[in-house]
Amino acid sequence: MKRKMTAGNLIFTVFNTCLMLFVIMITIYPFWNQFILSFAKREYLYSVEAQWYPKSFDLSSYKVLLHYKDIWRGYGNTILRTAVGTAFSLLVTAMASYPLTKKDFPCNKGITFLILFTMLFSGGLIPGYLLITQQLHLTNSFWALILPGLATPYNIFIMRNFFLSVPNSLEESARIDGAGYTRIFWQIIMPLSKPVLVTVGLWIAVGHWQAWYDNLLYLQKPDKWGLQMILRELLVNNQQSNITQTVKNTFGTAGAVDERQLKSAVIVISILPMVILYPFLQKFMNKGIIIGAVKG
């Protein structure tokens, strides 16, 4: 039997709905605006009014980007970094989390405290920079982008708490059959942990995809830069020489495509992969976050 909604509940529901719609709108609109501008002709690019739908359809900026080698090299570097970094981080995070679920693991509480301590205090930027460049000698190395963030305390605790939700009876049965911890981890724990692996993996992948600051710190060669670093050079430092030459080679004149249209197109293609990927992983994320956050 349905309960009759009171006036207070109705007002609360309407207010929350309107508030969430407003938050969604102000969150999505900047991206939608850049998408519109990437197709806009010159007369619409500098309009002061809000543009809610495309008023023109010009693919010139995307034609330029198809011939812009720096973008595709940055795409390749970022895809490689995201794939390798996510795989290695998930592996290390899972292997660090599983032993912490065992009460008989030596120094369990001490190790857990040390991991928790790093969530509250860190060495800072300078010690990290000196470690990577002077101790490990990873300047201009691909691994300078992977190793510093290989495992984070927050992800370890989320995954540890999820592992605690796996029934102990499954492990006990496997132990009776002669399975060791390694076999239990790979054949029982990992297959049952798909929600948390997808959730944490998506967080890690987004972090790698959006990273640019470590490129600035550790990579001195532009041919090793990721997509976001190239995007920064175009938008912040206004390094237009290479892309201007590409416009000239494509259309015969450097002024054939407006600078703002090009920048909008670069922003669109930089965020598009994550926008496409996220909905397919959404069904796993809610379960992974809820169980990983409250169990333990």
Side-chain angles (χ1 to χ4, degrees), residues 30-183:
F31 301 103
W32 176 246
N33 184 60
Q34 292 302 314
F35 179 75
I36 293 174
L37 293 180
S38 68
F39 294 103
K41 293 183 179 179
R42 198 181 300 270
E43 58 266 26
Y44 298 110
L45 286 171
Y46 298 94
S47 175
V48 295
E49 63 180 9
Q51 300 188 41
W52 300 100
Y53 60 90
K55 297 181 179 180
S56 61
F57 192 75
D58 183 9
L59 292 174
S60 299
S61 58
Y62 291 97
K63 291 179 181 177
V64 173
L65 295 182
L66 285 175
H67 298 88
Y68 187 39
K69 296 181 180 179
D70 289 354
I71 285 290
W72 300 112
R73 183 170 59 244
Y75 242 114
N77 292 337
T78 298
I79 290 173
L80 178 63
R81 172 186 179 168
T82 302
V84 174
T86 302
F88 273 79
S89 292
L90 278 178
L91 177 63
V92 172
T93 302
M95 294 180 69
S97 304
Y98 180 61
L100 298 179
T101 65
K102 307 304 173 188
K103 295 182 179 180
D104 57 347
F105 180 68
C107 303
N108 190 322
K109 292 184 178 180
I111 294 174
T112 301
F113 171 78
L114 290 177
I115 295 174
L116 178 62
F117 184 84
T118 62
M119 293 182 65
L120 306 175
F121 305 96
S122 66
L125 175 63
I126 295 177
Y129 179 80
L130 295 176
L131 174 66
I132 296 297
T133 57
Q134 298 187 15
Q135 300 296 322
L136 300 180
H137 304 289
L138 292 177
T139 303
N140 287 321
S141 170
F142 173 76
W143 295 106
L145 311 178
I146 304 297
L147 295 181
L150 205 56
T152 62
Y154 181 78
N155 290 343
I156 290 175
F157 283 117
I158 289 291
M159 200 168 290
R160 166 190 172 271
N161 292 343
F162 189 94
F163 290 162
L164 287 172
S165 69
V166 178
N168 289 330
S169 57
L170 294 176
E171 293 193 46
E172 291 173 358
S173 298
R175 295 278 298 189
I176 292 173
D177 292 337
Y181 282 125
T182 302
R183 187 172 182 180

Side-chain angles (χ1 to χ4, degrees), residues 9-23:
N9 289 339
L10 179 61
I11 294 173
F12 180 77
T13 301
V14 172
F15 175 78
N16 273 351
T17 302
C18 293
L19 178 63
M20 292 307 300
L21 288 174
F22 175 74
V23 172

